[in-house]
Amino acid sequence: MLKVAVLSFAHVHAATYLRLLRAMPGVEVLGSDPDTGSAAPGEVRGAALAASLGVPYADTYDEAFAWGPDAVLVCSENARHRPLVERAAAHGVDVLCEKPLATTVADGEAMVAACRAAGVRLAVAHPVRFSPAYAAVKRAVTAGDTGRVLTVSGANNGHLPTRTRRWFADAGLAGGGALMDHTVHIADLVDDLFGARPLEVYAQTNNLLYEGETDVETSGLVTVAYDNGTVVTIDCSWSHPRSHHSWGGLEMTVVGEHATLEMDAFDQKVHGFSERDARGVELPFGVDLDERMLHTFLHGPAPDGPTVSDGDSALRTLRIVTAGYASAHTGMPVPISHQHSSRSV
C-alpha cells in the first residue's frame, strides 16, 4: 500500500484529491488541515471536510508525518507552500505541490534546492498536461506538422474564486490575483511543448471586473517572448460571470508556418440550464485530468505518456508570473533572469 497524506485543505482541489486517492487501489490516504485561519464563514475544511469524504484525519502535521507517508500533496495557500515542501523534503518524502510553486522566486528556488538536496521528487499540479487535446497538439508540433511555431494564443479564464475559497483574492496568501492564478497553466504547456526559454514578459492588468469586491487584479493579458522566436499571449482573467455554467476553461491556439492548431482542454462536457435552481449545469464525460496526474505522480508515466511538471519547470513558469507583475507595475517589458534555473533532460 502507498501511503499518501494531503497536507492542508486550503486549495479548492484538495477535496478532489482526497476523493480520488480514497478510491485508488493500493493507496491509503490521510488528510491534515490544522491551519484553517484563512477559511471564510461557510467554507468547510479540517476534520469536517475529511469526515464528509470518509477520509482518516490527523489533527497536526506532526501526526501526518509520524504516520510515515510515502508521498504528500501540499494544498495550502500559495504563500504557505514552502514550509510544507521543505518539511516533506526533510522527511525524505516525495511531494506534489499545488500550483503555483510559490509566490516568490526566492521561495521557489529554496523548495527546488531542498528537494534536490534530500533526493526526493518535487512535482507541481499542472493537470492540463494530461488533456487528450493537448496531447494531440504536442504530437502534431513534435512531428513537424505545424512547421516552425510562430505564436501561441492561450486563455485560462474562470470566475472570481472567492465564492469557493476567499484566500485566492488575498494578495498576502495568494501572491496576487488572476495573473498569479491563471498564467501558470498555459506557461507550463508551452514549457513542455517547446523546451524553449522565456526571455521577456510584457503584461497589463486591472480589476475592473468585480470592481469593489477585491483589491487584486481580476483581468490580465501576458505576452512572453521565447528564445526560439515564438511569442505567446495568455489571457489569465477571472472573466466568467457568477452565472456561468463552468468554473473555468483553458483554450489554446498554436499558429505555425504550415498549420494552425486549436485546443480546448475541458470541452468534453454537456452544458445546460437548470430551471429548478436557475443556474447553468455542466455534465463532464471526458477523462479526469486530476486522476491521470495523481496516478502518474504515484506510479510513473505510461509509455509515451506525459510526465508530471517538476520543480524546475514550475520555477520557470513562476519567473514568468513575477516578471509579469513587474511589467504591469512599470508599464514596460521585463527581461527574465535564469539564474539558478536548470532544465531537466
Side-chain angles (χ1 to χ4, degrees), residues 87-241:
R87 190 167 184 177
H91 281 82
V93 177
D94 289 341
V95 188
L96 175 63
C97 182
E98 255 302 337
K99 61 84 186 169
L101 176 63
T103 59
T104 68
V105 171
D107 280 353
E109 289 176 340
M111 294 158 66
V112 171
C115 291
R116 181 174 291 123
V120 303
R121 289 186 300 137
L122 173 58
V124 180
H126 288 130
V128 186
R129 284 193 181 200
F130 297 85
S131 163
Y134 171 65
V137 167
K138 186 174 182 178
R139 284 195 300 271
V141 171
T142 302
D145 295 343
T146 60
R148 186 171 72 88
V149 174
L150 306 174
T151 186
V152 176
S153 176
N156 184 194
N157 302 135
H159 56 65
L160 182 69
T162 52
R163 66 183 183 183
T164 51
R165 285 291 188 264
R166 182 179 61 180
W167 69 265
F168 272 96
D170 181 322
L173 293 174
L179 193 153
M180 179 66 73
D181 189 29
H182 276 175
T183 302
V184 292
H185 280 303
I186 292 173
D188 177 71
L189 295 183
V190 173
D191 188 88
D192 179 64
L193 190 62
F194 299 130
R197 287 188 180 275
L199 299 178
E200 186 178 76
V201 178
Y202 177 70
Q204 292 190 356
T205 63
N206 63 52
N207 68 345
L208 298 178
L209 297 171
Y210 302 100
E211 188 175 8
E213 293 189 43
T214 178
D215 294 329
V216 298
E217 77 283 353
T218 52
S219 299
L221 186 63
V222 181
T223 302
V224 188
Y226 286 80
D227 64 0
N228 65 349
T230 302
V231 176
V232 176
T233 61
I234 301 171
D235 176 356
C236 54
S237 307
W238 290 334
S239 53
H240 284 185

Side-chain angles (χ1 to χ4, degrees), residues 290-314:
D290 290 324
E291 183 178 27
R292 286 189 170 189
M293 178 185 68
L294 290 178
H295 190 275
T296 299
F297 169 64
L298 295 175
H299 303 291
D304 299 321
T307 59
V308 182
S309 177
D310 63 16
D312 287 324
S313 63

